[in-house]
Amino acid sequence: MQTKVNNKKDLSFEDFKTEVLKDYHIAVTSRECSLLGRREVLTGKAKFGIFGDGKEVPQLAMAKAFQNGDFRSGYYRDQTFMMAIGELTIEQFFAGLYANTDLSQEPMSAGRQMGGHFATHSVDENGNWKNLTQQKNSSSDISPTAGQMPRLLGLAQASKIYRNVKGIDTTNFSVNGNEIAWGTIGNASTSEGLFFETINAAGVLQVPMVISVWDDEYGISVHARHQTTKENISEILKGFQRDKDNNGYEILRVKGWDYANLIATYEEAAKIAREEHVPVLIHVNELTQPQGHSTSGSHERYKDKDRLEWEAKNDCNLKMRAWLIENSIATDEELQTIEKNIKKQVRDAKKAAWTNYLKPALTEKEDLVALLKNVANASSNKVFIEKIANDLSAIGEPNRKDAVSAARKALRYVIAENSSEKQQLLDWIDTFFTKVQPLYSSDLHNESSTSAIHIKEIKPTYDSKTEDVDGRVILRENFDAIFNTYPETLVFGEDAGNIGDVNQGLEGLQEKYGELRVADVGIREATILGQGIGMAMRGLRPIAEIQYLDYILYALQIISDDLATLRYRTKGRQKAPLIIRTRGHRLEGIWHSGSQMGGVLNLVRGIHVLVPRDMTKAAGFYNTLLKSDEPALIVECLNGYRLKEKLPSNIGEFTTPIGVVETIKEGADITLVSYGSTLRIVQQAAKELAEVGIDAEIIDIQSLLPFDINHDIVNSVKKTNRLMVIDEDVPGGASAYILDQIINTQNAYKHLDSQPKTLAAKPHRPAYGTDGDYFSKPSTEDVFEAVYAVMHESNPSSFPKLR
């Protein structure tokens, strides 16, 4: 075993000893937190526990190489690392385990994530960027295995952009692109496609990324022989190893209990990645799992006696302890004293965290018990209300739900009564929800003045020289203005660079702005999204292009679990203002004209979903978003690039408001609501309906998330008293969402004289060809006949039955 740590050659032996003992102190502290944390779960104080025990020593080495400005994108076992970089205290560890909603006590997520999910604050309480170069950064973890990998790619790529693209204000974000993105993943999760997609992309892009694979031979209860070819991830990735003729990875291997070699290995990895911008994979093997995968099960159920004995002997903390004694850094007695003191520190901090967690619930319980007794004394149902009060009083360690649940049940006993005490109870419940509900529901979107919904509309202007051009030209000219105005913007996607995207919306822009700002990428949608998320988290304004809406399914998990929840799961302390560009809707064929909107709408709450009807509206959305700091998905109309539109004279300046509908035709008989390409069909149908005496009002939704924030649609229904939603998604998809918004949120049902209707596509993908489109999705005739049927039911004499 190596006996010397070489990371700081100028250290005296005493300084060296102090540093090593500090590391051991952190390792033992982390282990005690894991052990006591498991007991807290088993006693019911915490709901679930997944801990970093067995991975302590390699995380110490990683922390030593981690510098200010660097970013971590990891998984839920990196507690030792977070402690080592000074971003996790013992109390904070337990506050996370208990789900404390106070961000000052639980800064990782304010109780919104399970313990083991870590983050640092990238923005202040007002949503403004902090100086990320002066702090150690951790992007917020997610639970889906390997889900942290695509984001890792973008965090690393940001350094390449900052080092090589001139004109960007890097003040808060980078020092010459020297920052490393550090990824961590369990060996079993390397079986996920997201891991391999990221590995390949990083090798192609050559970005400063260091990936640590913590290898303890198991994925939950499943051994590596069922997970990985050759049972060895670094062995099967040999083909990625760089050589003198080819770019690739540096692949390093080290045993997870070897403190000295771990530090040397991480120093080497950091030097390569930081200076050369070469990705590095560190395979850390011979690690253990002292308490099994999680509190959901015991590893004694799936590990044989020999394996359990090996783990007991090769535990990294025990190995480090032996190394300290062997090298005369500390005696057994000295280490016992350290360990004893740590046990007490952890117990005391755990107790303090539990006390702090209980404090608001206890106060609320006591206040309510007193109030309920007053309500009982004033009620004819005194005995029942007193029982509720007594039952609540008897709960020694209440959750917050216990109090409000009791209050709501007590309210039922005074339904028919009228007293000041009843009013006090009602006020208490209302005040409780006003105060407490935001602790669980705030910050899904930007709630500050910089929110996209506050960006005022600037209409496109036209002068006497205005010409009709293909819609794609408006996009191209607008993107040109964007890249010229915002040096931190960049766009990347399949065919986005050299040929200017498949519809020529980026024509000529790579030649003008360079391959890093207008870039081609491989066919790998998940990591396209990951590039965007990571770069947006580091202050850039990326536009990630997914070639077709159909292909967004490859990236939907990343959009849903990572991007859409980022602001929420950090309670507003991280953001990623990524714009996702795609195109979809009417074309011809199963794979290029599907409509995934129903699924998208239900899975991406937390980002804006914008559906412009033409390229001028689309360009306006890009301009709006770049004045804000929120993520969004823009779906351009696939069949609209060659349609003629007037070229605005204020290109790059006009904005399309978010969450605002537009009435594009006024009418008196029925309100027709739609969006995107389908609007052109609705408009044609409206002309034909007018020929038979039906005056339809047409509203363009424009923005599905958020939806009609001014409630303009209900005002239309007040006038027409009839409603139809036309959508090319499958039945029950986006049309059901739209109808729910109008009927239930806007309460338009009160103004209806006829049953509200939806007209959607058939419940299958569109068949190929012109006829396939006609018989699969709503046609002009479908719209005409559906509207006519509504009017026939209302007034059969004026509108006799058609068919």
Side-chain angles (χ1 to χ4, degrees), residues 126-146:
N126 298 313
N128 300 313
W129 288 109
K130 299 172 71 176
N131 191 330
L132 305 184
T133 68
Q134 295 180 3
Q135 64 181 44
K136 293 178 171 64
N137 304 287
S138 174
S139 60
S140 175
D141 296 334
I142 57 176
S143 283
T145 52

Side-chain angles (χ1 to χ4, degrees), residues 472 500-506 547-548 583 638 641-642:
R472 70 169 188 89
D501 88 40
V502 289
N503 297 103
Q504 299 290 278
L506 297 167
Q547 194 164 83
Y548 297 108
R583 52 191 66 84
L638 185 51
Y641 294 102
R642 301 292 173 179

Side-chain angles (χ1 to χ4, degrees), residues 5 7 19-20 23 59-67 259 263:
V5 179
N7 67 314
E19 184 173 337
V20 173
D23 280 351
Q59 290 182 28
L60 294 172
M62 176 175 155
K64 285 186 177 300
F66 196 92
Q67 295 183 7
Y259 175 74
I263 291 174

Side-chain angles (χ1 to χ4, degrees), residues 466-761:
T466 293
E467 57 180 324
D468 289 335
V469 298
D470 290 347
R472 70 169 188 89
V473 174
I474 295 173
L475 279 175
R476 183 194 67 196
E477 297 303 301
N478 198 72
F479 280 129
D480 189 7
I482 284 172
F483 296 138
N484 186 56
T485 304
Y486 302 99
E488 66 274 19
T489 56
L490 60 157
V491 64
F492 46 93
E494 298 157 14
D495 300 313
N498 183 43
I499 68 169
D501 88 40
V502 289
N503 297 103
Q504 299 290 278
L506 297 167
E507 180 187 22
L509 298 184
Q510 184 182 79
E511 184 177 357
K512 185 172 183 179
Y513 294 101
E515 293 185 3
L516 287 176
R517 291 191 67 193
V518 184
D520 286 310
V521 300
I523 300 176
R524 47 173 181 79
E525 285 77 11
T527 45
I528 291 173
L529 257 295
Q531 286 177 252
I533 295 169
M535 285 193 282
M537 292 185 75
R538 291 193 57 194
L540 296 169
R541 294 307 306 267
I543 301 170
E545 180 173 314
I546 302 298
Q547 194 164 83
Y548 297 108
L549 179 62
D550 307 69
Y551 301 168
I552 211 162
L553 296 183
Y554 283 104
L556 193 54
Q557 186 265 324
I558 298 302
I559 301 172
S560 178
D561 289 332
D562 198 354
L563 179 62
T565 68
L566 178 63
R567 194 183 290 264
Y568 170 79
R569 73 179 189 268
T570 61
K571 202 175 182 181
R573 292 309 174 90
Q574 289 188 358
K575 61 182 178 180
L578 166 65
I579 300 173
I580 306 167
R581 181 192 184 207
T582 191
R583 52 191 66 84
H585 308 314
R586 310 295 287 242
L587 194 62
E588 293 182 351
I590 291 180
W591 306 118
H592 289 76
S593 54
S595 181
Q596 291 77 20
M597 298 311 298
V600 168
L601 288 170
N602 287 299
L603 290 170
V604 304
R605 303 298 171 92
I607 73 170
H608 299 316
V609 176
L610 310 175
V611 282
R613 69 178 181 269
D614 59 33
M615 302 311 159
T616 304
K617 291 289 184 180
F621 276 136
Y622 289 110
N623 297 338
T624 297
L625 290 166
L626 287 168
K627 293 176 182 289
S628 176
D629 65 349
E630 293 184 86
L633 167 67
I634 299 178
V635 184
E636 298 167 8
C637 292
L638 185 51
N639 57 1
Y641 294 102
R642 301 292 173 179
L643 297 180
K644 298 298 181 181
E645 300 180 36
K646 292 189 179 301
L647 180 65
S649 57
N650 59 340
I651 204 81
E653 298 174 5
F654 61 88
T655 58
T656 306
I658 288 176
V660 179
V661 303
E662 181 179 355
T663 301
I664 57 177
K665 177 189 175 299
E666 293 192 356
D669 294 329
I670 188 170
T671 299
L672 305 182
V673 178
S674 191
Y675 62 90
S677 296
T678 306
L679 272 167
R680 288 193 284 276
I681 291 169
V682 174
Q683 287 176 288
Q684 179 59 38
K687 293 178 182 178
E688 297 174 12
L689 286 164
E691 295 172 359
V692 297
I694 299 173
D695 186 14
E697 183 149 301
I698 303 174
I699 294 180
D700 179 7
I701 294 168
Q702 300 197 106
S703 170
L704 286 165
L705 291 175
F707 184 90
D708 189 11
I709 59 177
N710 297 324
H711 290 192
D712 289 327
I713 295 177
V714 70
N715 293 326
S716 173
V717 176
K718 283 181 186 178
K719 176 175 64 172
T720 66
N721 306 120
R722 295 178 185 86
L723 171 68
M724 182 175 293
V725 175
I726 302 101
D727 176 39
E728 64 169 278
D729 199 5
V730 296
S735 59
Y737 161 80
I738 295 165
L739 192 63
D740 174 72
Q741 289 288 315
I742 299 169
I743 298 300
N744 292 326
T745 301
Q746 299 188 10
N747 293 323
Y749 70 90
K750 295 187 290 188
H751 309 290
L752 291 172
D753 292 338
S754 299
Q755 178 186 349
K757 295 284 188 177
T758 60
L759 176 62

Side-chain angles (χ1 to χ4, degrees), residues 89-384:
T89 67
I90 303 170
E91 280 194 42
Q92 289 168 350
F93 171 87
F94 284 101
L97 199 61
Y98 301 139
N100 191 319
T101 57
D102 187 336
L103 192 65
S104 67
Q105 297 178 41
E106 203 285 90
M108 304 301 150
S109 75
R112 296 180 179 188
Q113 297 216 78
M114 295 182 294
H117 294 70
F118 305 114
T120 54
H121 295 181
S122 299
V123 299
D124 63 22
E125 62 274 12
N126 298 313
N128 300 313
W129 288 109
K130 299 172 71 176
N131 191 330
L132 305 184
T133 68
Q134 295 180 3
Q135 64 181 44
K136 293 178 171 64
N137 304 287
S138 174
S139 60
S140 175
D141 296 334
I142 57 176
S143 283
T145 52
Q148 74 274 26
M149 296 299 294
R151 179 205 322 141
L152 173 67
L153 178 67
L155 291 169
Q157 189 181 3
S159 291
K160 183 171 184 176
I161 299 298
Y162 282 127
R163 180 173 288 185
N164 294 287
V165 175
K166 306 304 179 186
I168 304 174
D169 182 0
T170 64
T171 303
N172 289 329
F173 307 110
S174 181
V175 179
N176 194 37
N178 293 333
E179 302 79 22
I180 296 173
W182 300 80
T184 65
I185 189 168
N187 59 298
S189 294
T190 63
S191 301
E192 293 278 12
L194 293 176
F195 173 80
F196 281 97
E197 189 172 318
T198 303
I199 289 288
N200 181 57
V204 170
L205 291 171
Q206 290 292 283
V207 291
M209 183 172 92
V210 178
I211 304 169
S212 297
V213 179
W214 308 141
D215 188 352
D216 58 24
E217 291 194 16
Y218 283 85
I220 311 181
S221 66
V222 180
H223 191 269
R225 64 179 174 274
H226 303 297
Q227 306 271 6
T228 308
T229 302
K230 300 183 179 180
E231 301 181 31
N232 189 318
I233 188 62
S234 58
E235 182 68 19
I236 64 173
L237 291 178
K238 275 184 176 179
F240 287 89
Q241 175 68 51
R242 64 176 179 162
D243 56 42
K244 63 183 179 65
D245 298 317
N246 298 285
N247 288 331
Y249 275 74
E250 192 64 40
I251 299 176
L252 307 173
R253 300 170 186 83
V254 63
K255 299 189 187 307
W257 46 261
D258 190 343
Y259 175 74
N261 274 327
L262 280 162
I263 291 174
T265 299
Y266 274 90
E267 272 195 337
E268 179 185 358
K271 182 175 173 43
I272 293 169
R274 203 177 301 281
E275 295 178 5
E276 301 179 50
H277 275 200
V278 169
V280 181
L281 183 136
I282 305 176
H283 184 187
V284 185
N285 58 15
E286 293 196 15
L287 287 169
T288 66
Q289 205 177 53
Q291 299 185 112
H293 173 76
S294 70
T295 53
S296 294
S298 171
H299 63 159
E300 287 83 4
R301 294 167 55 197
Y302 53 85
K303 293 177 182 173
D304 62 28
K305 180 181 177 182
D306 290 343
R307 175 66 191 187
L308 290 170
E309 288 179 354
W310 182 90
E311 290 199 7
K313 293 177 182 178
N314 289 276
D315 180 283
C316 63
N317 282 15
L318 292 180
K319 288 281 217 177
M320 183 178 182
R321 190 183 196 280
W323 178 82
L324 292 171
I325 295 171
E326 177 186 335
N327 288 280
S328 302
I329 296 169
T331 65
D332 178 66
E333 292 76 13
E334 290 170 335
L335 295 179
Q336 286 185 43
T337 300
I338 291 172
E339 292 154 4
K340 182 180 178 181
N341 290 335
I342 289 172
K343 285 179 183 290
K344 184 178 186 305
Q345 290 172 11
V346 172
R347 285 196 303 270
D348 290 346
K350 184 270 301 182
K351 183 178 179 180
W354 181 244
T355 298
N356 289 333
Y357 169 75
L358 282 180
K359 193 177 296 182
L362 285 169
T363 300
E364 290 154 3
K365 183 194 84 166
E366 292 164 3
D367 290 345
L368 181 60
V369 167
L371 176 56
L372 288 177
K373 288 181 179 178
N374 291 337
V375 174
N377 289 332
S379 173
S380 59
N381 287 312
K382 177 179 180 179
V383 64
F384 300 107

Side-chain angles (χ1 to χ4, degrees), residues 403-461:
V404 73
S405 176
R408 296 169 81 180
K409 288 177 180 176
L411 185 62
R412 301 170 193 173
Y413 289 105
V414 292
I415 291 175
E417 298 177 8
N418 187 14
S419 66
S420 60
E421 289 80 6
K422 174 186 175 181
Q423 187 58 49
Q424 289 171 8
L425 180 59
L426 283 167
D427 292 343
W428 188 95
I429 294 171
D430 290 344
T431 300
F432 182 92
F433 275 106
T434 299
K435 177 181 69 173
V436 174
Q437 188 66 54
L439 299 178
Y440 303 94
S441 302
S442 70
D443 296 291
L444 182 61
H445 295 281
N446 182 354
E447 298 176 0
S448 75
S449 60
T450 60
S451 169
I453 64 173
H454 297 315
I455 304 301
K456 293 188 177 181
E457 180 180 15
I458 300 173
K459 292 183 178 296
T461 57

